[in-house]
Amino acid sequence: SPNFVAHHQPFNYFRNFAPGTAERERHLRDYTEFAAGIERGDLPQVVFYKPQGSLNEHPGYADVLSGDEHIAEVVAKIKASPLWASTAIIVTYDENGGFWDHVPPPKGDRWGPGTRIPAIIISPLAKRRHVDHTQYDSKSILKFITRRFALAPLPGVHTGDGGLRSA
């Protein structure tokens, strides 16, 4: 499919998630199944969703408007579902259509410096009309999930004292 971007699908590189495996069948779904789960009010407690290539706002083959409209539709579906009362949606971007940051990148870690990753938190549990200027990174999402579900931290993932706070 021209909308499938293989290198944007990290599970393609794990043997236990290869096509035809039980783990792939159990854990990986397409957008149609995701949307049906929203309508039924039946999704796992944690879901990671990445739009197809034509809607992911990546510069060169997608546009920002189509991606923004798609995410707005997904959020509207969730808000209209029975899931909404207990949902936190975290929208992040990498290149955002190629519109890069307006300030120098933050100090790097062992993996090097990087651009700031904007995130939008959409939830009836989130503080309304609030902009948090604390610098987080993508591992903050893992820390939030780890805290929320009282899980042991993943080995080798240090997120410091920052991270999204659970309600």
Side-chain angles (χ1 to χ4, degrees), residues 67-82:
D68 283 351
E69 288 174 340
H70 176 68
I71 291 301
E73 289 171 11
V74 170
V75 170
K77 284 179 195 244
I78 294 171
K79 287 177 80 172
S81 81

Side-chain angles (χ1 to χ4, degrees), residues 26-44:
R26 202 169 119 210
H27 294 291
L28 302 182
R29 303 283 185 268
D30 65 13
Y31 177 76
T32 304
E33 292 172 277
F34 174 58
I38 293 169
E39 289 179 24
R40 288 190 313 269
D42 179 30
L43 288 176

Side-chain angles (χ1 to χ4, degrees), residues 29-30 62 80 90 93 95 102 108 116 122 125 129 132 142 156:
R29 303 283 185 268
D30 65 13
I90 304 169
Y93 297 86
E95 289 93 1
H102 64 287
R116 296 182 316 156
I122 306 164
L125 308 170
R129 296 177 183 84
D132 184 353
L142 292 176

Side-chain angles (χ1 to χ4, degrees), residues 51 54-57 62-72 93:
S54 63
L55 300 173
N56 71 11
E57 301 186 28
D63 65 274
V64 174
L65 179 60
S66 296
D68 283 351
E69 288 174 340
H70 176 68
I71 291 301
Y93 297 86

